[in-house]
Amino acid sequence: MELPDWLQKQQQLYSKLPETPPSRSTHPVSGEWQTSDYLTNQFWWGGGATGESCEQISQSDPTLTQVGAITFGPVQTFLGGGNRLRDWAVGSWLCHYLAGVLIYRWEEAGGQVLLPLHHSSPLLRWLHGETGIDETFWQAELPNVLTGLFPDEPQWWDNCKQIISTEWGRFLQQLEQAAIAHNRYLNGVGWQVILADHHYFWTIYGDSQPLRPDRAVEDIEQLHQRLEAAKLGRNWRGTWWGGRTSPSAGSLSIWHPGLKPIDRGGTWGLPNSTLNQWWEKIAENSRLSGLFSRSDRLNSIEMVKRLASVPEIICPTLERLWGKKPPDCPWERFPDRTAAAAAWIPQMGLSEVWNKELGDYDKYFFEDQPKRLWGIPAVDRQSQTYTHPRVLERRNIDSEEISDWESSIPKGWESTIEWTVGWRGDGDKMGKWLSGQQYSKLELPWERWHPSPEAIAEYQLDIEPPNPSGTRVVELPHMVDLSVLFSLWNRLLYKLTEDHHNGRVIFAGGDDFLLLGPITEAIALTSNLHTLWTGNPSPLTQPLDPPVDGWVQYENQIYPVPGHQMNFSLGVVIAQRRIPQSLWHRGLNDAYKHAKNQGRNRVCIRVLFNSGQSLEWVCPWPLWNLLMTVEPTAEDKTDLNCWEKLLSYLDSTRIQESSPATVRDLIDTLWASVKLPLCWEQVETTAKAYDRRAFRDEIGDWQWWLNWIALRGFLARQQRERDKWIERVRAGEE
């Protein structure tokens, strides 16, 4: 199929066409035209089809007569296990790796993957033999849902659906060999369980049908809908060793070298005392002491991710698999929760007293294992180095040295590592954007994506202006255009998170992202993610003058962002120190889904306390930008006093039935009583500027306002504790 065939409807709008390609770019969401080096149109008549998208689908092969969509899971279960942030990051990369290998094998067999955008992926370039790949090879970016073309050959599609299971088995075999070569303690028949059951772990969902070029977008949408229905049905193929249905579920799933299947005379476990001895021994081994702790009891999934997180294991694994060395692995520099929680410290200018207090203890408790890098890019790039805060975390200390640690570590300093934050977000209604339904709903006219009479005159095209009617028609190149847009967005996401905030990106693929950082970034990074997405002023970008939706000024160039037409939802979880990572991960997914379920275009922020209690508030973005920036102005009261006083007022006021009218009658007076420079008129004006009836459920709900005040009070309390700690430390300097 020739590329113009995908765009034949738009080509037919012109009687004659320029021979030279256009020098302008059209935004795939807003349709706004700009002169830019990004999203440049491939054709004047392409209706916005970019050069990048056309490169992805330009292959002409008449034998590719079938279209298929495929995904694998359970990804969230795979990511959720583990006790370290690096386990989370490595799990994301392994899913990215499987998606990359699936793309590689698909195209190696003569097919063509249309989505996601992958030509620029460092992993795919490496698989194809390109050299000089840098550390971006280890950044997770490919989603686990693929769409592509393939020939109508016997067993082709069935063979494709076996790729994930086959490649996962190959990976595990080589991981075993590399792990044992790294350390003999990692040998044992426990690997037999992993290798025997691996084909039960990933469930593959795939569907296909004959390709209809004139209906490709509609057909692809239906394929994805059927995949989603199959996933929601939870039609697992059989036992998988990651879940409760596994014979190695629960405590018996703990990995150890003596684990044997029942049909081989095993009992699915060694005696508990023997098991404990093995884990303690492996944690004390000098070459593995940084990999395991004495308290670790990892199941098979967690064990695989933990071993894959070791550069000396994962790099030989990949070299054995593909016959070439991958780029040097940077995962030993990935932050742990201690570093992520304390990442705000280096901004305070306390290096002298910090290093003086912690340096000797770090050497004493960790002996010859210095750890200089925190894994937070904005911290590690500072000219002044800070001793890593790991010595402040009790679980990092050997049990035999706990009494020494308790008596020597500076009192109160553990508060610096009390809270860690995660962010998960993506674009709203992406399926409808990909299918074109959202363009119709928003009534975005088709002519936006074609040259106007003014553009024709400016570029002396000597053609008649097209006269398309109705809303935009989306064809295959335009679907890929959205992938191009988000690959460009992710470049900004890395810079915003890691250069302008004390954060770290775990995953950024398509419009989906996962980040981590300290509590001091909870509000600032959340707000800047939204302003960066919409094109409002951000630390990286500024609107054009005059503003153009979807285009911003970035590093002296005109650059695309999603813009105002496309909303996005975000889940934010602030987790206290002892919250298990699996609970934090689950809470983050729940918060993200709650933002979607409450109406989208929202942020859900959830606080998880060690006590098991939680605090949650879901807020539409326009109200977030108003309510999270207002501060009390009472000179005789601290911010915390004002928020706590306001909370007590609201909590003591019992409203039988909430509505905007009843809330309005009381809340202005209460705000004024604590000198909060906010009035109901501002709230209503903000809501009406978005939609006349928007956010009525939120602003008319008394509990919603209580949750907001409780959140602001919690954040003010944490700020007070940080201020007190800084004051004590600086007094010690003097």
Side-chain angles (χ1 to χ4, degrees), residues 336-345 354 358 374 387-397 405 409 412-421 517-519 575-579 610 718 722 725:
D336 56 19
R337 285 181 66 170
T338 312
W344 59 276
I345 296 294
W354 176 272
L358 296 188
W374 289 35
T387 298
H388 194 282
R390 60 182 175 167
V391 74
L392 293 175
E393 184 66 77
R394 181 189 183 97
R395 60 186 168 189
N396 292 335
I397 307 302
W405 178 83
I409 290 299
W413 281 45
E414 70 278 1
S415 63
T416 63
I417 56 170
E418 186 71 17
W419 303 94
T420 318
V421 186
I519 190 173
Q576 203 166 8
R577 181 193 298 125
R578 291 189 295 276
I579 296 296
N610 289 333
Q718 302 313 313
R722 290 193 298 274
W725 179 83

Side-chain angles (χ1 to χ4, degrees), residues 464-479:
E464 291 296 322
N467 187 29
S469 60
T471 56
R472 189 185 190 200
V473 175
V474 176
E475 295 181 272
L476 188 60
H478 308 133
M479 295 178 67

Side-chain angles (χ1 to χ4, degrees), residues 527-543:
S527 298
N528 282 333
L529 285 170
H530 183 249
T531 57
L532 184 69
W533 180 282
T534 57
N536 290 327
S538 78
L540 282 175
T541 61
Q542 292 294 320

Side-chain angles (χ1 to χ4, degrees), residues 109-128:
Q112 182 182 4
V113 175
L114 304 173
L115 293 167
L117 187 72
H118 60 274
H119 282 181
S120 58
S121 166
L123 171 60
L124 267 298
R125 287 158 46 206
W126 180 80
L127 289 173
H128 284 291

